[in-house]
Amino acid sequence: MIGKIIGALVGREMDRRDGSGGLKGAAMGALVGGGLRRMGPLGMLLGGGYVAKKAYDRRRASRMAPRGF
């Protein structure tokens, strides 16, 4: 179950990079999730690390952005 969640998050991050949204991210998440599950614990660590880094970068960028009134 955790593998499916990580696969969905990886697909969402890959789709955000594209910017268009839609079915492409879901398909990529399913493919990547399957691949990560086949790699075992190492794949889960890699996928989780990718998602965590993207979330960290996004949070850091939002803190650095100037806020208007």
Side-chain angles (χ1 to χ4, degrees):
M1 184 167 123
I2 292 173
K4 290 183 181 183
I5 293 170
I6 291 175
L9 291 173
V10 169
R12 184 181 72 175
E13 292 298 329
M14 293 175 81
D15 199 33
R16 279 187 176 181
R17 184 173 31 171
D18 185 11
S20 64
L23 185 63
K24 182 179 171 186
M28 290 294 289
L31 290 173
V32 169
L36 291 176
R37 278 192 300 277
R38 288 209 173 261
M39 290 176 64
L42 178 63
M44 291 296 125
L45 286 174
L46 291 174
Y50 176 77
V51 171
K53 182 187 181 318
K54 291 295 182 177
Y56 174 75
D57 290 345
R58 189 175 305 117
R59 181 175 169 92
R60 199 169 96 197
S62 70
R63 285 187 171 184
M64 300 298 271
R67 297 183 184 182
F69 290 91

